[in-house]
Amino acid sequence: MKFKILVFSFVILISPVKAQWVQVDDSNIGGDIMALMEHNNVLYAGGTAYLFRSSDGGLNWTGYFPQLAFAWSLAKSVNHLYCGIAYSPSQTPGVYRSDDNGLNWVSTTLSSRSIMSLAADSTQVLASSDRIYRSTDNGQTWFTISYFTGYLNISGNRIYCAMSGLRVSSDFGSSWNLIKNDGGISVVAEDSIIFFGTQDGVIYRSTDYGQSWETKFNKPGAYVYSLYKYGQYVFAGTDSGFYVSTNNGESFINKNDNLGHSRIQAILVYNNYVFVGNGNYGAVPVSVWKRPLDELLDINENNSDIPDVFSLSQNYPNPFNPVTKIRFTVPSITLRQAQSDYKVNLKVFDILGREIETLLDEEKPAGIYEVDFDGSTLPSGIYFYKLQVGQFTETKKMVLIK
């Protein structure tokens, strides 16, 4: 059994200060930021003013392409960078490539087209314009793989396109299947897990390659512009703020803080920081903002995210083989005064009610916790896990399949 604290809080704070996003310290950044990328320790920010480049972690930025070149999309392969220009009064739109880590850019043969989205891996680069184009020779030649368009993502041998529904191709674009019939503007996938953000403020999650879906976020009217997956963490940028999930999308917490109601259009995790690019001039300065990753994932007593009740979540994955995760929450002491015993007890039982293992039996401060349960020595079957803290008790069922 492996135990870890995902999020914790201090009961006693001295001069508490609410965590804040910090604007990168460079006045050269401007225009709505639409895309963020890192390659070889260099940061790139594309938007409605320039393509910006920073080689010192975001302290200083240099603009590329003429002013007001709408660099709306960025992608990278092993040795090449790609920038999609959607519009420019003096630069021909299309896909541009850099072979020297962003110092110089040349036009590919996909030119004179407004580029809305790019995606690339080690074997191909995709561009979305009036249709979807694919190149397997670093942009020297392109061919059409669909006559619809949308926002692109590549995961393994699957290509995803989100706009008038979510479509997927597993044969390099020769054929496509519609797997979700909602208007979408963002998608991110990792193996069998897919997150799909819609124009109606919904984030759907599938854990079986799109065969079935669950609603995991629903904020009507909040376009979900950007999605970013980092291990078990999922970040969502909407036109009403920034949201974080620490449990693979089971739930999302607002982490906007001093960003106001900015439209978050781009997200990047780099060097233990989370970077976001925002739009909406009516809220806060349009720029690139950053915040330490560990700080962003913390919940503290000075934060409204502190759990207000005891709760026990369904294990994930379920069914499992042989390891699964069990998550529970513990409220602050002031919210659990009715409990005479603060000791947290978590046990696993078999279907006959026999105790299999005690996963936890100790006092815990307020926070969100996660326990790994390893069933490698047990036979397949139905098991139960039970959380008990004083008068609070909750039990859930899990299935081990070998």
Side-chain angles (χ1 to χ4, degrees):
M1 186 273 293
K2 181 182 177 183
F3 176 77
K4 62 181 179 180
I5 300 175
L6 286 186
V7 189
F8 61 92
S9 65
F10 296 100
V11 175
I12 299 175
L13 294 177
I14 300 176
S15 301
V17 177
K18 190 171 180 64
Q20 300 281 300
W21 291 89
V22 177
Q23 185 178 357
V24 294
D25 189 20
D26 193 300
S27 59
N28 289 332
I29 289 283
D32 289 14
I33 304 301
M34 310 288 288
L36 291 170
M37 185 176 69
E38 178 273 334
H39 184 69
N40 291 339
N41 295 315
V42 177
L43 298 178
Y44 300 87
T48 58
Y50 290 105
L51 170 65
F52 298 96
R53 181 181 187 273
S54 173
S55 59
D56 57 8
L59 294 177
N60 298 281
W61 298 79
T62 302
Y64 287 78
F65 299 110
Q67 188 176 11
L68 300 181
F70 286 17
W72 280 3
S73 51
L74 297 167
K76 63 180 179 179
S77 60
V78 178
N79 297 311
H80 307 284
L81 306 180
Y82 300 93
C83 177
I85 302 296
Y87 165 80
S88 173
S90 57
Q91 183 85 20
T92 302
V95 178
Y96 289 76
R97 188 187 73 229
S98 173
D99 303 329
D100 57 4
N101 210 22
L103 293 175
N104 296 281
W105 296 84
V106 296
S107 177
T108 69
T109 56
L110 188 57
S111 183
S112 299
R113 289 175 173 83
S114 178
I115 306 300
M116 63 180 296
S117 180
L118 292 173
D121 59 17
S122 60
T123 63
Q124 62 184 331
V125 56
L126 308 175
S128 180
S129 180
D130 57 325
R131 61 193 70 178
I132 300 176
Y133 299 89
R134 179 172 183 256
S135 173
T136 56
D137 56 9
N138 304 316
Q140 297 182 58
T141 58
W142 299 83
F143 50 93
T144 298
I145 61 172
S146 86
Y147 286 93
F148 52 83
T149 189
Y151 298 93
L152 302 170
N153 183 256
I154 299 174
S155 176
N157 68 337
R158 288 175 168 82
I159 302 170
Y160 296 92
C161 178
M163 184 166 273
S164 56
L166 179 62
R167 291 175 168 84
V168 61
S169 174
S170 56
D171 55 10
F172 306 108
S174 295
S175 61
W176 294 83
N177 294 317
L178 180 66
I179 57 176
K180 197 78 175 81
N181 192 21
D182 293 76
I185 47 180
S186 57
V187 58
V188 64
E190 183 180 73
D191 298 323
S192 63
I193 301 176
I194 310 167
F195 290 93
F196 175 44
T198 76
Q199 302 167 13
D200 298 320
V202 176
I203 298 175
Y204 294 104
R205 186 187 73 178
S206 173
T207 59
D208 53 12
Y209 295 102
Q211 297 182 56
S212 61
W213 295 89
E214 301 172 282
T215 300
K216 291 302 180 182
F217 177 92
N218 190 354
K219 190 174 178 61
Y223 279 43
V224 183
Y225 281 102
S226 52
L227 289 167
Y228 190 99
K229 194 170 188 307
Y230 184 73
Q232 70 187 42
Y233 307 113
V234 183
F235 305 109
T238 76
D239 61 2
S240 64
F242 182 78
Y243 295 82
V244 176
S245 172
T246 62
N247 53 6
N248 238 332
E250 277 294 319
S251 58
F252 285 84
I253 296 170
N254 186 300
K255 287 291 186 178
N256 231 33
D257 298 320
N258 58 312
L259 288 180
H261 290 285
S262 274
R263 183 173 62 243
I264 306 301
Q265 300 172 139
I267 305 167
L268 172 70
V269 176
Y270 167 68
N271 198 26
N272 296 318
Y273 279 88
V274 177
F275 292 81
V276 299
N278 69 317
N280 187 357
Y281 288 90
V284 296
V286 175
S287 184
V288 176
W289 301 75
K290 68 178 182 178
R291 188 166 172 180
L293 178 63
D294 57 354
E295 174 192 285
L296 186 65
L297 300 177
D298 278 351
I299 293 177
N300 58 62
E301 194 75 31
N302 191 43
N303 195 308
S304 60
D305 300 332
I306 193 73
D308 56 4
V309 294
F310 291 102
S311 69
L312 180 65
S313 300
Q314 186 63 52
N315 65 301
Y316 182 85
N318 187 43
F320 67 98
N321 178 28
V323 178
T324 190
K325 297 179 183 297
I326 299 171
R327 175 178 290 250
F328 62 92
T329 66
V330 177
S332 67
I333 289 178
T334 57
L335 294 172
R336 49 176 160 148
Q337 290 298 335
Q339 305 294 336
S340 59
D341 185 0
Y342 299 152
K343 184 174 288 188
V344 177
N345 182 275
L346 183 62
K347 293 184 178 181
V348 177
F349 302 87
D350 66 13
I351 196 169
L352 299 177
R354 295 174 299 197
E355 183 178 328
I356 299 298
E357 185 175 352
T358 297
L359 302 180
L360 186 66
D361 188 25
E362 60 186 74
E363 292 186 8
K364 287 294 176 187
I368 302 173
Y369 296 86
E370 190 174 87
V371 175
D372 285 350
F373 173 64
D374 189 344
S376 57
T377 62
L378 299 173
S380 298
I382 296 174
Y383 295 87
F384 298 89
Y385 56 100
K386 177 181 178 181
L387 177 68
Q388 183 169 2
V389 188
Q391 302 298 314
F392 174 85
T393 301
E394 189 170 358
T395 303
K396 290 188 179 292
K397 181 176 72 174
M398 59 183 173
V399 180
L400 173 62
I401 298 178
K402 293 187 174 180

